[in-house]
Amino acid sequence: MTGYSNWVDLIGLLGGLTISGMMIPQVVKVYRTKSAKDLSWGFLLWYFTGLTLIMIFSVLKSLWALYIPMCLEYTMLFTQAGLKYRYDSRSSENTADNKSPVLANSGDIHSDQFYRKPVLT
């Protein structure tokens, strides 16, 4: 029975590493392009919640084959969140420094450049 358990644990470990490794290309892309605008904070929050629940389950069930992949996934998650914070804040600074009213205030409906008084006829 021990041989069967080791074989099954190895499959679980390899599957977990494969799934965890799928995040690496996304982190590399965000780092290379210096843009995380396509990553939403909602996605990262849901991902963190799911990982935490799976980690609690694996600890309570003593599923050691999930510990290493989960640590890798947490590393990828926190790296993505850090890059998103860094690049989003850099992007907002660049927008605020830009003197073009179209780029700096495009979402601000109360801006003097975009607010027009209604014309009474």
Side-chain angles (χ1 to χ4, degrees), residues 14-29 43 47 51 69 72-73 76-77 80:
L14 292 175
L17 288 173
T18 302
I19 296 296
S20 300
M22 75 179 194
M23 298 301 288
I24 294 171
Q26 183 65 42
V27 171
V28 170
K29 180 182 178 189
F43 164 77
Y47 187 46
L51 286 179
L72 178 61
E73 287 203 45
M76 295 293 109
L77 171 66
Q80 283 184 331

Side-chain angles (χ1 to χ4, degrees), residues 27 30-31 36 78-88:
V27 171
V30 168
Y31 179 75
F78 290 129
T79 301
Q80 283 184 331
L83 290 173
K84 178 158 182 62
Y85 178 78
R86 179 179 181 186
Y87 296 140
D88 282 359

Side-chain angles (χ1 to χ4, degrees), residues 14-89:
L14 292 175
L17 288 173
T18 302
I19 296 296
S20 300
M22 75 179 194
M23 298 301 288
I24 294 171
Q26 183 65 42
V27 171
V28 170
K29 180 182 178 189
V30 168
Y31 179 75
R32 284 185 181 164
T33 62
K34 306 286 190 247
S35 173
K37 65 180 180 178
D38 292 335
L39 282 177
S40 72
W41 286 110
F43 164 77
L44 295 173
L45 178 64
W46 276 100
Y47 187 46
F48 174 78
T49 303
L51 286 179
T52 302
L53 292 171
I54 292 171
M55 181 59 94
I56 292 169
F57 173 77
S58 65
V59 168
L60 293 174
K61 291 285 203 168
S62 299
L63 301 174
W64 69 267
L66 294 179
Y67 298 165
I68 296 170
M70 294 300 293
C71 289
L72 178 61
E73 287 203 45
Y74 272 116
T75 301
M76 295 293 109
L77 171 66
F78 290 129
T79 301
Q80 283 184 331
L83 290 173
K84 178 158 182 62
Y85 178 78
R86 179 179 181 186
Y87 296 140
D88 282 359
S89 63

Side-chain angles (χ1 to χ4, degrees), residues 83-121:
L83 290 173
K84 178 158 182 62
Y85 178 78
R86 179 179 181 186
Y87 296 140
D88 282 359
S89 63
R90 184 183 297 168
S91 175
S92 66
E93 287 173 8
N94 290 342
T95 302
D97 291 341
N98 191 343
K99 301 300 181 196
S100 169
V102 173
L103 293 175
N105 299 314
S106 62
D108 187 3
I109 61 171
H110 300 291
S111 173
D112 291 338
Q113 289 100 0
F114 296 101
Y115 184 74
R116 293 192 174 95
K117 293 179 183 175
V119 178
L120 299 176
T121 56

